[in-house]
Amino acid sequence: MTETAAGGRTVDTASLSPLHWVAFGLAAITGVLHIWLGVQFVSSPVGISFLLAGVGFFAGAALVAVDYRRRLVYAIGVPFTAVQIVAWYLVNAPDFSPIGYLDKAVQVAFIVVLVVLYRREG
């Protein structure tokens, strides 16, 4: 199935594997959490960084959906996500919240999925 996306590019759902859909779900979860946190803290630089991170997850998913340089998107997504995990630890230690643990578990799973997708499409 092919659908036209914004900018005239098409989404070819036939080219997406079940693992792609898992990645989209994980990206959506962490993206929504980051946007939600960004809105709560929008008046601070941390809030802006949350918003940018959330948008980054959705932008990456959109690029993969329209089959734009998928391998490169996976390769960029790994350090993009890993840096957020390290930053979360440095900023919040030792006061971690349950939502933080959930988000980081999602992000670790997301990194694993991105690595598998990168290797499969090599």
Side-chain angles (χ1 to χ4, degrees), residues 20-50:
H20 285 103
W21 293 105
V22 169
F24 290 148
L26 295 169
I29 291 167
T30 193
V32 165
L33 286 172
H34 279 82
I35 289 172
W36 175 69
L37 288 167
V39 168
Q40 287 189 338
F41 301 105
V42 74
S43 61
S44 75
V46 171
I48 301 301
S49 68
F50 279 129

Side-chain angles (χ1 to χ4, degrees), residues 56-103:
F57 284 110
F58 285 106
L63 291 172
V64 170
V66 298
D67 198 13
Y68 180 80
R69 301 182 72 178
R70 285 183 180 164
R71 244 177 139 234
L72 178 61
V73 174
Y74 308 146
I76 292 169
V78 170
F80 174 79
T81 307
V83 164
Q84 291 180 44
I85 294 169
V86 172
W88 168 79
Y89 180 83
L90 294 174
V91 169
N92 293 294
D95 299 319
F96 303 116
S97 68
I99 194 98
Y101 282 121
L102 170 67
D103 184 49

